[in-house]
Amino acid sequence: MSAIASARARDDEDDESQPLTAAARAQRQRQCLRMLGVVLASYTLDTLLLLGFARFGAIDGFAPWAYAGAGAVACGVFWVLLRSGKSEGLADPFLVVPQMLVHSAIHLAFVMWVPAVGVPLLMMLLVINAFGAMRVSRMAVLSTSALIAIGVAGVLAWGGLNVALPTGNLGQRVVSAAWFALVLARVTLLDLYGLQLRDVLMQRNAKLKAKFEKMHRRATRDGLTGTLSRRSVMELLDQQHRKFELTGQSFSIVLLDIDHFKQVNDRFGHPVGDEVLRAFSRRASAEMRTSDRLGRYGGEEFLAVLTATEDESSAHIAAERVRDGVAKHAWNRLHPDLKVTVSLGVAVCRPEETVEELLARADAALYAAKHAGRDCVRMG
């Protein structure tokens, strides 16, 4: 009976495993008390239906008021407990399971007292259990449902009770139909709210996933160029080297340095220099295979890991393709007088060679490319 309000509370809480602030505790307490309002409203509605049954002779006229009193007392007790804040430290701060058991016990007691309306009262157990399941854990739902089922079995086996649905006259049939319709309406509302809650959770998961991906990208990508950060590309290089040691499948690396980049900044300004870095990264990446990775090594220098390039000939071809693509790029779109080239030093990993030795050979090859006039590829 109380799960709709408690489900709303779940929407408003970010993480119950984290300590709540005073404002969050106050908000949750208000949610708990609103939940009791839903419960009390349900008792009020069913009391009116019981009064209808009494009006048409199905039960004694005192039973509806006793039912209303029992519900009011139960709600009052839980209101005091929740209002005091003593449940805050519990795994079930809304006291959903105790409420499910108490309200189920009330309905079972009235089934025994007025079995003539036992079927409508038993219907309410389904609503109570379904509403409570919106808040508590799966294990709590199963254990609570088992206890309720045991209680129902005991009541039905009690001294030959004639548990019935009043249909003795037209008035009783109308009230019975209304009771069924209102129970169905409550279950339907619960289902609709469950769908809404699922949509909210899916949206939250999507936002969390997007936020995680954004954080992951910030942690692994260079903020300016979008290529791998130095740390990430070095981690990739280490992984590839370990794979080489295990499988013997060699790979290559390329150190790329944009020629005369300082002059680009000095002549055209740093904003143009930043655009050159971004455009270079896009062009170089476009000329590489999808299995290769490009990272910013520092400043205008980049490091490419060619994961399945095992010999100098294929590594040279891959590097030359990048060099040619950069040279042919329409740099004049950034500035009419702008032209950008790149020098590349290539090294194929050798057996028993460390990462540091591999990088040193690529760096030496890059140095040779610069001394050879730049805009060229040299092997290390």
Side-chain angles (χ1 to χ4, degrees), residues 50 58-60 63 66-67 103-123 125 148 150-164:
L50 288 173
I59 58 175
D60 182 82
Y67 176 84
H103 297 310
S104 296
I106 290 174
H107 284 78
L108 289 175
F110 274 84
V111 170
M112 296 175 64
W113 181 24
V114 281
V117 291
V119 171
L121 291 170
L122 288 175
M123 290 181 191
L125 297 181
I148 295 174
I150 292 172
V152 171
V155 168
L156 294 179
W158 182 275
L161 291 176
N162 186 21
V163 178

Side-chain angles (χ1 to χ4, degrees), residues 228 233 236-237 251-256 284-285 288 291-297 301-307 318-319 322 344-347 358-359 362:
L228 292 175
V233 75
L236 176 63
L237 177 55
F251 65 97
S252 304
I253 65 170
V254 182
L255 281 175
L256 309 89
S285 297
M288 295 167 58
S291 60
D292 300 333
R293 293 292 182 269
L294 180 68
R296 192 176 181 187
Y297 197 56
E301 194 170 10
F302 292 78
L303 171 63
V305 179
L306 312 182
T307 57
V322 173
L344 305 95
V346 185
L358 176 63
L359 284 169

Side-chain angles (χ1 to χ4, degrees), residues 96-251:
V96 175
V97 170
Q99 290 192 66
M100 290 173 64
L101 294 175
V102 168
H103 297 310
S104 296
I106 290 174
H107 284 78
L108 289 175
F110 274 84
V111 170
M112 296 175 64
W113 181 24
V114 281
V117 291
V119 171
L121 291 170
L122 288 175
M123 290 181 191
M124 289 306 302
L125 297 181
L126 300 177
V127 178
I128 293 170
N129 191 67
F131 278 20
M134 292 287 291
R135 183 66 205 178
V136 294
S137 66
R138 182 180 303 176
M139 184 57 65
V141 171
L142 293 175
S143 58
T144 305
S145 299
L147 289 174
I148 295 174
I150 292 172
V152 171
V155 168
L156 294 179
W158 182 275
L161 291 176
N162 186 21
V163 178
L165 176 69
T167 57
N169 54 50
L170 179 60
Q172 292 179 13
R173 291 192 291 272
V174 169
V175 177
S176 294
W179 192 302
F180 176 82
L182 290 171
V183 167
L184 182 61
R186 278 176 271 190
V187 173
T188 301
L189 287 174
L190 175 63
D191 290 340
L192 291 175
Y193 189 80
L195 291 174
Q196 180 185 358
L197 178 61
R198 185 186 66 181
D199 291 341
V200 170
L201 293 176
M202 290 178 63
Q203 291 173 9
R204 283 192 171 188
N205 288 338
K207 289 180 180 178
L208 287 173
K209 181 179 179 181
K211 185 176 181 180
F212 175 80
E213 290 176 350
K214 185 176 181 180
M215 293 174 61
H216 179 72
R217 182 175 179 83
R218 286 180 176 177
T220 60
R221 296 281 175 171
D222 176 65
L224 178 63
T225 64
T227 60
L228 292 175
S229 65
R230 180 187 175 98
R231 178 179 178 179
S232 296
V233 75
M234 290 302 295
E235 288 177 351
L236 176 63
L237 177 55
D238 287 335
Q239 293 170 8
Q240 196 65 32
H241 189 263
R242 286 195 296 270
K243 181 179 178 181
F244 169 55
E245 291 178 327
L246 291 173
T247 65
Q249 182 180 4
S250 188
F251 65 97

